Amino acid sequence: MSERSGALPSADGAEAESQALMFVRLWAEEVIRQTGRVQEIRERVRGYHRMHGDGPGIDSHFLEEAFREQWAAEHTLLWAAYQLERWRKRLDRERGETERKYDAKLLGARNVLEHLDSADFRDGKAVAPPWSPPAQPKKRKPQDPYRSLRALDGLYIGTSDDGSFCGIASSELSDRALDVVKSVEADLAEEAVAHLIELGRGR
């Protein structure tokens, strides 16, 4: 790895490809680790909801804490999958190959999260604020930054577990993230793939 804070020197194509491959492996491993963590938290939180009102200490404050933990874990999984997709594209460019596309559903969920901090909030939901394109658009037609949130008709933010995250079923989020990992297995050395498999067994 470059000594300059991990910078990728584009002048040396061989080194750039090697660095891109390293980051592909790094994020593939993190997706697997984070998938296991998300699954463990989901199972635990589902248990809390079943015990709510019956088990000692399982009150609304406890469920709020569990919600924060699950949301952060699922957000982190989504981000790790995004980084893997970005470095997969960089690897394709370095090899002169057609860049593989982003997963459309993961892309939509990322768009929701990217603009969540500027959304409006009403009745426990994050909703897309009014938006219209500039009067004098640039050469490239601007897109509604809240298009994914608008398509969801708002995003409920609360402790109730509806089995989804930013418009994706929770189980589908993990499956789609792992599909991105599978898409890079052919790019990695046999030893690296074996390590991914071993990580997956430990989930």
Side-chain angles (χ1 to χ4, degrees):
M1 184 180 294
S2 169
E3 294 180 357
R4 295 183 300 137
S5 302
L8 294 168
S10 58
D12 187 336
E15 184 170 357
E17 179 181 342
S18 176
Q19 295 277 34
L21 187 60
M22 185 278 296
F23 278 110
V24 163
R25 179 176 180 178
L26 181 157
W27 287 110
E29 292 172 349
E30 185 57 23
V31 165
I32 291 176
R33 292 189 195 97
Q34 195 62 27
T35 298
R37 181 167 182 264
V38 164
Q39 290 174 343
E40 183 273 325
I41 292 173
R42 281 181 191 144
E43 290 176 5
R44 182 156 40 84
V45 172
R46 279 197 296 267
Y48 295 156
H49 280 278
R50 287 194 298 269
M51 293 186 294
H52 184 216
D54 296 326
I58 309 297
D59 55 15
S60 58
H61 295 293
F62 189 92
L63 292 181
E64 287 172 5
E65 181 179 351
F67 161 77
R68 294 194 298 270
E69 182 184 12
Q70 180 171 330
W71 179 282
E74 290 179 321
H75 189 153
T76 303
L77 172 58
L78 191 63
W79 179 256
Y82 177 47
Q83 288 299 306
L84 176 54
E85 288 183 305
R86 286 182 63 89
W87 282 105
R88 183 182 65 182
K89 279 181 170 289
R90 175 63 187 266
L91 182 63
D92 289 338
R93 289 198 299 273
E94 293 299 333
R95 291 177 170 176
E97 298 173 354
T98 301
E99 293 182 27
R100 284 164 280 190
K101 296 180 180 180
Y102 290 117
D103 179 287
K105 282 204 170 182
L106 296 181
L107 184 62
R110 289 196 300 270
N111 180 263
V112 170
L113 292 175
E114 182 180 358
H115 300 285
L116 194 61
D117 62 345
S118 55
D120 291 339
F121 292 89
R122 290 194 296 270
D123 301 322
K125 292 174 68 174
V127 296
W131 182 87
S132 57
Q136 296 180 335
K138 300 178 181 179
K139 291 182 179 179
R140 185 177 179 182
K141 185 178 179 180
Q143 285 189 309
D144 176 6
Y146 305 99
R147 59 192 179 277
S148 297
L149 183 58
R150 206 179 304 282
L152 291 177
D153 193 28
L155 179 67
Y156 179 72
I157 309 291
T159 58
S160 64
D161 183 11
D162 66 354
S164 68
F165 181 71
C166 292
I168 305 180
S170 294
S171 58
E172 187 179 359
L173 171 62
S174 295
D175 290 343
R176 285 180 177 271
L178 290 173
D179 282 344
V180 182
V181 174
K182 292 175 185 176
S183 76
V184 300
E185 287 181 350
D187 299 302
L188 300 172
E190 185 176 336
E191 177 270 333
V193 174
H195 184 56
L196 292 179
I197 293 172
E198 189 62 28
L199 282 174
R201 288 173 179 162
R203 288 194 288 116

